[in-house]
Amino acid sequence: MHDIQIIVRPAQSADIDRILRFREHARRVVMHFGYEDLVQMVKRGMCLVADTGPLLWGFVCTASYQPGLAMLRGIGLINGWRIDDGLSYLLRPMEQSLIEQGMRYLMHLAVDVWLSAPLMRQGFIPHDYIIHFERATPVKPLLPEYQLEDVTLRPLHPHEIQALTLLDHQAFDWPWQFSSGELVKWLMIADRLVVLEAEGELVGYACTQVHGEQAQIVRLAILPQWQGRGLGRYLLADALDFAAQRGARFVTLNTQWHNTASQRLYKGFGFRAVGRRIPVLIKELKEP
């Protein structure tokens, strides 16, 4: 293998199918993206391949997550290539490219167990864990029990994106804050995105998606100064009722290991943690 010349270069349109077919001849593959995602990453120069000519030896794909922070969305290594060698070959030029694009950090959600330890040997450090919760949809409506009189539950208006972005950034710690662009995307594709208004300002919001028999509460946030007043329960009850009305049988959501307040809220509503904790790994990008 040492006699083979490996060239690491930006992926091109012709490489898209080669990357998507990589699973056919490699075991160590992580692909947290679909075809359209890959097309965009290639167009933006955020995907590299290790090419020998007739065969790809590996690839690495990233995407901008928020200003200064990129997400490691996919990586693959051909069978027989030592993991540490392959990661070093691919990550060093990718990190340099990200630095040139203004990125300061690279984050990975370590769903695939085999990749965690090798990434930490490449300088990634554990930042947090993601916990997955699930419960059945309610048999009878919950909202009447948790509805509040001094706040208004209503849809988000498009002109309120900046106000919603400010709310989101106050409610969530780095790196979990959504950009305005991300919130616009959810406004367009979410099955339900509602806000709570009180005293003339947005104080909370929730975003829900329904896919057949399963719904996901993508986002639930309350301004810190308004927490502890039942607003989170109000939004959660509304989301659960909406999921039940749409025919979902189960509702899922995620939160961070350190967010004990959210965990108490969800457990109080009958959610239970399922699956394993997902490590969140982050590397600070520095010039060599």
Side-chain angles (χ1 to χ4, degrees), residues 194-225:
V194 293
V195 297
L196 288 177
E197 181 181 355
E199 299 179 4
E201 68 171 333
L202 302 186
V203 297
Y205 82 101
C207 177
T208 307
Q209 285 280 82
V210 180
H211 304 282
E213 294 188 342
Q214 182 166 305
Q216 181 184 14
I217 300 175
V218 178
R219 204 71 160 171
L220 193 152
I222 303 295
L223 280 178
Q225 62 269 32

Side-chain angles (χ1 to χ4, degrees), residues 225-244:
Q225 62 269 32
W226 283 85
Q227 293 175 9
R229 307 188 193 186
L231 277 68
R233 292 190 292 271
Y234 189 2
L235 285 173
L236 193 53
D238 175 76
L240 287 167
D241 285 354
F242 174 77

Side-chain angles (χ1 to χ4, degrees), residues 124-140:
F124 284 75
I125 61 173
H127 176 79
D128 205 340
Y129 293 88
I130 292 177
I131 306 174
H132 188 71
F133 283 91
E134 181 180 278
R135 65 153 284 173
T137 48
V139 177
K140 61 179 182 179

Side-chain angles (χ1 to χ4, degrees), residues 15-214:
D15 296 312
I16 291 175
D17 286 339
R18 300 173 77 191
I19 293 172
L20 293 174
R21 294 198 308 267
F22 202 80
R23 289 185 188 276
E24 297 175 6
H25 55 83
R27 295 188 303 273
R28 295 189 179 96
V29 182
V30 173
M31 288 187 183
H32 298 163
F33 55 77
Y35 176 81
E36 292 298 331
D37 297 320
L38 180 56
V39 169
Q40 292 303 314
M41 288 186 285
V42 169
K43 283 184 178 179
R44 293 168 183 168
M46 303 190 79
C47 203
L48 301 180
V49 294
D51 198 0
T52 64
L55 189 66
L56 286 187
W57 269 47
F59 70 88
V60 58
C61 293
T62 63
S64 176
Y65 185 69
Q66 57 179 252
L69 175 65
M71 179 76 77
L72 179 59
R73 297 285 301 277
I75 196 160
L77 303 174
I78 196 171
N79 296 340
W81 200 5
R82 290 185 64 250
I83 296 176
D84 289 347
D85 291 345
L87 290 181
S88 180
Y89 244 89
L90 289 163
L91 286 176
R92 287 178 184 175
M94 174 55 76
E95 290 169 10
Q96 183 59 41
S97 175
L98 291 173
I99 290 171
E100 293 170 359
Q101 296 179 55
M103 296 296 173
R104 296 181 56 205
Y105 298 93
L106 179 59
M107 180 167 72
H108 179 63
L109 306 184
V111 176
D112 300 83
V113 178
W114 68 268
L115 191 54
S116 296
L119 283 180
M120 285 190 279
R121 291 195 292 270
Q122 296 293 324
F124 284 75
I125 61 173
H127 176 79
D128 205 340
Y129 293 88
I130 292 177
I131 306 174
H132 188 71
F133 283 91
E134 181 180 278
R135 65 153 284 173
T137 48
V139 177
K140 61 179 182 179
L142 297 174
L143 197 57
E145 182 179 350
Y146 295 99
Q147 193 166 0
L148 301 172
E149 295 182 356
D150 54 347
V151 295
T152 301
L153 177 71
R154 61 169 175 80
L156 175 75
H157 302 311
H159 70 270
E160 295 176 311
I161 285 294
Q162 288 305 121
L164 188 67
T165 304
L166 181 61
L167 186 165
D168 187 273
H169 285 205
Q170 292 182 64
F172 291 99
D173 296 329
W174 183 91
W176 307 115
Q177 298 149 340
F178 276 179
S179 66
S180 295
E182 187 77 5
L183 290 169
V184 168
K185 182 193 79 171
W186 283 112
L187 176 62
M188 295 173 62
I189 69 174
D191 292 304
R192 185 169 179 80
L193 199 162
V194 293
V195 297
L196 288 177
E197 181 181 355
E199 299 179 4
E201 68 171 333
L202 302 186
V203 297
Y205 82 101
C207 177
T208 307
Q209 285 280 82
V210 180
H211 304 282
E213 294 188 342
Q214 182 166 305

